[in-house]
Each structure stands twice: as C-alpha cells, then as structure tokens.
Amino acid sequence: MSGNLVCVGTGMTLGAHISPIATSYIAQADVVFSLMSTGITERWLDEMHTDVRSLQYCYQEGKNRNITYNEMVEAILTEVRAGKKVVAAFYGHPGVFACVSHRAIKQAKLESIPAHMEAGISAEDCLYADLNIDPGKTGCINYEASQFMFYQRNIDPAAHLILWQIGLAGDKSLAKFSTGKAYRQVLVDLLLETYPADHQVILYQAKVLPIDTVRDEHIALIDLIDAELFMHTTLVIPPSEEMQPNEKVLAKLAAIDKQELNAKNRPELTLVL
Amino acid sequence: MSNVIQVLEQMGRDASLQNNQAIEQLLTTTELDSKTSQAIINKDINTLEKQMCITPIIAHALHPAEEEENKDENKKVKNAVNA
Ligand SMILES: C[S@@+](CC[C@H](N)C(=O)[O-])C[C@H]1O[C@@H](n2cnc3c(N)ncnc32)[C@H](O)[C@@H]1O
C-alpha cells in the first residue's frame, strides 16, 4: 500500500470555516497530524478521528524554529513513507504563512509520493470581512514582520500593509515566542520613515472560538511600541497617502487610444483603377 | 464528540446561534454542567479551558522570517548575476 499526504486547513473559527473536503479527508485518513492555535481547537480536532497527533511537542522556546519545522515535516513524512494515508491539519489556510505544509509536500513529491494541499480560510480572509477592507480597492501587501525588518522592502503608502507575526517582530534567532519593546521600537522607527507618528494602525485578532470577540483596535503608530501583542495578532496599516497617477504610463496609453481612434475614423479607401 | 465541543461546533456553524439569546436558549437543552454553560455565556475562555482540562498550546508560529532554502536560492541568484 502506498502512502499519501493531504494538507488541509481548519479555518480560523471553530466549526464555522472547515470545508466539507477537509472534514472528509480527516475522517478518511489513517493518521492525522494537527497544528492548531488553541487548546480547545486542538481538542476539537482530536475528537474528529481516533489517531490525531499534535505537533506541538516539537516547539520549544530557545530552539531555532527552522529545526522545529523540519522535525514536524519528518514526523509527518515518516508515516507517509510507512504507507499511510496521512492528513496534516493546520488552523487557518494550511499554506498561508505556514512553511511546514509546503516543505512536507515538496519533500513528498521529491520522493514521488502523492501530496497536495486543500485551501482553507486564513486570518487574512477574516480580516477583509471583519475590518471591511477590500484588497482590490487600493492594493494590499503582506509581509512577515521580521522579514520586513531584515530586508530592504518597498512600502507603498497608498496601499494596505499587513504585517504577520507582529508579536515576534525582529527575532533574528527564530527561537523566541515574543519580542519586547526594544525590538518593536526598531520596527516603529522603520515605519516612521513612511508613515506619520499619529497614523492610525489596526491590531487585529480574528475569532478562533465562537465565543471570542474580534480585536479591531485602532491605535496611533507610535503607540505600537507599548501595545499588547500576542502570537496571533496581525498588524494592519491602512494607506496614508492617495494613489498618484503614473503620468508616463497614462501618456503611453493615451497615445495608443489616439492611434486606434484615428485608424477607426480614417475614411475607407477604395482602389480606383 | 464530547458535549462541550459539540456545542461549540454548533455555535460556530449555525446561523441561528449567532446571538446571545439563542445561545442561552441552546444551553438549556444541553447536558453541560452549569459552570461550563456559564463560562460559554460569559465568553470566559480561561474558565472554559479549566472546565475542559485543556493544556494550553505552546506556540503557533508557523513561519520563519528567513527560509533556509530561500537564503541558498538568493545566493545562487547573486552568484549567477556576478558570474
Ligand atoms: C504562522 S502564521 C499562520 C497563519 C495561518 N496559516 C492562516 O491561514 O491565517 C501566524 C500569524 O497569523 C496571524 N494570525 C494567526 N491567528 C490569527 C488570528 N486569530 N487573528 C489574526 N491573525 C492571526 C498572526 O499574524 C500570526 O502571527
């Protein structure tokens, strides 16, 4: 018997978001691995199948998370290699800011083992609904907060900027579960190069349990330094500027429009012999 | 599935249970003990976790700021450009 791997998402809110196909894969698996965001959602998944194995044991404060993630991949693949139908269930979308599923699928494919991912409802999806933001209106860019700090990135102040894992911002060791004020000060200094200090930013937390309330807290950018941040907080920075017309491109497009119009309006020529 | 998980799941997926009154009504029909029901009504997650003997999860950070493979790929691109 040959094994296979399916990575599924359980969505953000217990009971509300899990898809029929994810539920069915879980029910039909030989083994289910879980990586949930709360103890209660972990229990919910436990009760869906007789062999659910939490990957939480791989985490350890002080241990480089890249090691943790590789251990998780290995735990999953060991069962797949043993010929089992394996499901790895992650909260949210299994492939959004979630490297374990991508790494596991990549490795399985390298070993010619069938593996795929089913989409789920992510924190970003909930954010658009809860905060009434349409990413198509002026654009929206997502970064992992620490990566955003470590590399030279372009900020477009006319678009939304979403920073994930803001509670761990600036952690170069990949070994911390939260970072403090000094790290956040560096992030705020970086953002102040683009945004005014009193620019209103949003601390967002989607509902994980049906009895949770959404966190939609608006604060001045400068107050981010002292704000209460959790591992599941996402920072949303709305645009601070208007979109500026790109005159060069607009002129090129106008020239094409004009050419097309002239071609249309040109009198039809008849050939007189 | 245990009673409390069933109730939470039902609250998550039933459109008619998206208000406090309906939830209180639902809780009168379940066999949950009064402390658990009260924790649900009060949206008191700590007490609910205690009632359910839940061990809190350790972490749910799932994404590294820097992927090991990305770093290698970036280097490869740089070397290719420099070559
Ligand atoms: C490793 S990512 C996992 C994202 C997840 N795969 C998803 O589909 O949303 C963890 C980050 O997701 C965001 N996140 C997780 N839970 C959240 C919640 N309940 N509300 C808002 N953002 C959340 C936070 O930015 C957190 O630091």
Side-chain angles (χ1 to χ4, degrees):
Chain A
M1 199 178 66
S2 63
N4 64 48
L5 170 64
V6 185
C7 293
V8 303
T10 59
M12 296 306 295
T13 313
L14 190 157
H17 294 165
I18 191 167
S19 68
I21 191 71
T23 310
S24 175
Y25 273 119
I26 291 168
Q28 293 174 29
D30 295 322
V31 184
V32 179
F33 286 94
S34 80
L35 214 42
M36 297 287 110
S37 63
T38 68
I40 295 182
T41 42
E42 190 171 82
R43 174 75 61 81
W44 169 53
L45 200 74
D46 276 352
E47 294 189 9
M48 283 188 212
H49 190 280
T50 50
D51 190 356
V52 180
R53 305 179 194 178
S54 169
L55 291 167
Q56 281 288 330
Y57 74 91
C58 299
Y59 283 120
Q60 221 177 346
E61 193 139 27
K63 173 170 153 192
N64 183 306
R65 289 206 314 277
N66 263 319
I67 299 173
T68 304
Y69 302 143
N70 288 338
E71 284 174 2
M72 291 176 176
V73 170
E74 261 319 293
I76 295 169
L77 286 178
T78 302
E79 293 302 322
V80 182
R81 289 183 195 118
K84 300 209 174 124
K85 279 196 287 183
V86 176
V87 165
F90 301 84
Y91 78 93
H93 185 302
V96 172
F97 288 82
C99 68
V100 175
S101 53
H102 288 292
R103 287 186 193 179
I105 289 176
K106 191 173 170 189
Q107 184 57 35
K109 286 188 172 166
L110 281 175
E111 298 176 26
S112 304
I113 296 168
H116 80 279
M117 185 183 290
E118 292 291 339
I121 294 182
S122 69
E124 188 186 359
D125 297 313
C126 298
L127 181 158
Y128 295 138
D130 290 332
L131 304 185
N132 212 0
I133 292 171
D134 183 342
K137 196 171 169 200
T138 55
C140 180
I141 186 154
N142 289 271
Y143 291 114
E144 197 281 329
S146 298
Q147 189 189 76
F148 172 77
M149 295 168 78
F150 301 160
Y151 295 90
Q152 308 264 356
R153 313 308 298 248
N154 292 326
I155 302 180
D156 176 357
H160 276 89
L161 175 66
I162 302 181
L163 295 181
W164 298 64
Q165 300 196 145
I166 189 73
L168 319 180
D171 171 30
K172 199 86 181 80
S173 68
L174 282 180
K176 296 194 173 104
F177 289 160
S178 65
T179 48
K181 272 191 196 181
Y183 293 84
R184 242 180 275 162
Q185 177 74 60
V186 177
L187 172 65
V188 169
D189 288 345
L190 177 63
L191 292 167
L192 285 175
E193 290 172 15
T194 305
Y195 301 99
D198 61 354
H199 186 57
Q200 293 291 300
V201 301
I202 307 167
L203 300 175
Y204 174 66
Q205 284 159 213
K207 268 164 82 161
V208 175
L209 302 179
I211 55 172
D212 271 328
T213 26
V214 170
R215 183 178 187 190
D216 170 11
E217 187 180 344
H218 295 236
I219 58 167
L221 172 58
I222 195 75
D223 294 333
L224 181 63
I225 301 160
D226 294 313
E228 190 177 20
L229 301 182
F230 302 99
M231 234 186 258
H232 62 295
T233 311
T234 299
L235 178 69
V236 181
I237 307 184
S240 63
E241 289 178 16
E242 297 281 315
M243 291 188 283
Q244 296 304 313
N246 187 334
E247 301 296 354
K248 235 163 113 182
V249 170
L250 287 171
K252 278 188 193 170
L253 294 173
I256 298 171
D257 287 347
K258 204 169 161 190
Q259 264 175 15
E260 284 188 351
L261 202 69
N262 286 346
K264 233 195 229 161
N265 293 342
R266 199 175 295 144
E268 262 181 41
L269 296 179
T270 38
L271 192 59
V272 183
L273 292 174
Chain B
M1 224 173 234
S2 64
N3 263 330
V4 59
I5 290 289
Q6 257 175 33
V7 168
L8 290 173
E9 195 182 57
Q10 202 181 340
M11 284 170 62
R13 66 156 179 247
D14 186 338
S16 71
L17 293 176
Q18 303 306 309
N19 65 77
N20 292 344
Q21 211 186 342
I23 291 164
E24 282 178 33
Q25 174 60 35
L26 168 79
L27 290 170
T28 62
T29 66
T30 64
E31 280 164 21
L32 296 187
D33 61 77
S34 61
K35 219 169 168 189
T36 305
S37 293
Q38 206 51 50
I40 292 177
I41 290 168
N42 296 343
K43 302 182 191 308
D44 177 354
I45 293 165
N46 284 339
T47 306
L48 186 61
E49 282 184 340
K50 269 190 211 131
Q51 286 299 108
M52 294 171 71
C53 303
I54 295 273
T55 19
I57 59 131
I58 302 165
H60 57 87
L62 274 173
H63 200 76
E66 302 178 285
E67 287 261 0
E68 286 159 329
E69 51 182 6
N70 267 359
K71 273 189 173 172
D72 291 348
E73 272 162 26
N74 286 346
K75 264 188 214 148
K76 266 188 235 154
V77 173
K78 260 195 196 158
N79 290 345
V81 170
N82 292 341

